[in-house]
Amino acid sequence: AQSVTQLGSHVSVSEGALVLLRCNYSSSVPPYLFWYVQYPNQGLQLLLKYTSAATLVKGINGFEAEFKKSETSFHLTKPSAHMSDAAEYFCAVRLRQAGTALIFGKGTTLSVSS
Amino acid sequence: AAGVIQSPRHLIKEKRETATLKCYPIPRHDTVYWYQQGPGQDPQFLISFYEKMQSDKGSIPDRFSAQQFSDYHSELNMSSLELGDSALYFCASSFHPGLAGGRSSYEQYFGPGTRLTVT
């Protein structure tokens, strides 16, 4: 069975500081991995995805994530936080099969202070 | 670019009533997924359809049913509504080329959601 664990339900950083949101997964077979962002009262927007090509994946808004099989991790980073990055971030995993569901982590709320 | 369309965006129903949520996937996408997100919760998978056939099933109550039509849009039918059904319901779509080959979208693109309130 697949699962995703996001360490830290709430992360606070200062504007300009490094953002690090942690995600660990468990899966019996190599999965696809995703990070989504959700702003209040809005839908989920895809930030980036890992589909077994490059292990370092670059996404939108300056975010990137590195797939580390040995650590079963897919942590999300951004070198310099902006106020506009404040949102809920979800890590998700799914099997490589048509029509299979995304399994989401519990989410991490990112707060950015000036 | 066209996105996933959901209607209605907001819906208020009373207990024991029925509700129908609609989802129009991105053009050429053949797979539709339904998720339920309670307040402060992560999205929970309900059900999915690939080429109009059910492809995966999650924690969908027996009171709910869904289908995908020939134009690939999907409807989620909810009956005997309960207070606990109040949530944000998301539809997502993706494309899988299958035997025809080509590039899969892998990722699921989400609609803006339908906020259902049961009173």
Side-chain angles (χ1 to χ4, degrees):
Chain A
Q2 303 172 90
S3 69
V4 174
T5 302
Q6 290 184 241
L7 298 175
S9 60
H10 200 133
V11 171
S12 297
V13 300
S14 300
E15 193 172 22
L18 171 71
V19 175
L20 172 60
L21 304 183
R22 299 176 186 274
C23 173
N24 289 87
Y25 70 93
S26 65
S27 178
S28 56
V29 296
Y32 293 144
L33 292 158
F34 308 86
W35 275 99
Y36 284 85
V37 61
Q38 185 177 32
Y39 297 98
N41 299 312
Q42 293 190 27
L44 293 148
Q45 181 182 10
L46 179 69
L47 277 178
L48 47 80
K49 63 181 184 284
Y50 167 74
T51 58
S52 80
T55 57
L56 182 61
V57 180
K58 293 188 183 297
I60 62 172
N61 300 339
F63 284 93
E64 63 182 38
E66 185 172 8
F67 173 72
K68 292 186 176 180
K69 185 177 180 180
S70 61
E71 299 177 8
T72 61
S73 68
F74 191 56
H75 301 331
L76 181 71
T77 60
K78 182 174 181 177
S80 177
H82 293 160
M83 297 292 287
S84 60
D85 293 329
E88 187 81 12
Y89 291 80
F90 291 98
C91 181
V93 62
R94 58 160 284 213
L95 289 174
R96 302 178 176 208
Q97 184 177 332
T100 55
L102 284 168
I103 307 299
F104 287 90
K106 294 299 182 185
T108 298
T109 301
L110 176 65
S111 300
V112 183
S113 58
S114 57
Chain B
V4 176
I5 297 172
Q6 292 188 246
S7 68
R9 294 292 310 277
H10 300 273
L11 190 59
I12 300 175
K13 291 286 185 178
E14 294 187 356
K15 281 172 47 178
R16 293 180 288 278
E17 285 192 320
T18 61
T20 297
L21 308 185
K22 297 185 178 183
C23 170
Y24 298 87
I26 291 171
R28 295 187 65 242
H29 280 195
D30 52 17
T31 308
V32 170
Y33 311 77
W34 287 97
Y35 293 85
Q36 178 192 58
Q37 185 179 31
Q41 302 293 315
D42 56 297
Q44 295 291 315
F45 172 68
L46 294 178
I47 195 167
S48 64
F49 294 88
Y50 171 51
E51 282 291 345
K52 293 156 280 184
M53 300 286 288
Q54 181 181 309
S55 57
D56 199 3
K57 188 174 181 180
S59 52
I60 184 169
D62 292 341
R63 299 176 289 106
F64 295 4
S65 65
Q67 58 181 323
Q68 186 180 31
F69 295 86
S70 57
D71 64 351
Y72 294 102
H73 94 272
S74 178
E75 295 183 3
L76 177 65
N77 298 294
M78 312 160 73
S79 62
S80 303
L81 287 169
E82 302 174 355
L83 295 178
D85 296 328
S86 295
L88 200 51
Y89 290 84
F90 288 110
C91 172
S93 73
S94 66
F95 169 68
H96 296 275
L99 295 176
R103 184 177 178 181
S104 169
S105 66
Y106 300 109
E107 63 267 32
Q108 298 175 19
Y109 293 88
F110 283 76
T114 294
R115 183 169 295 282
L116 173 66
T117 303
V118 181
T119 63

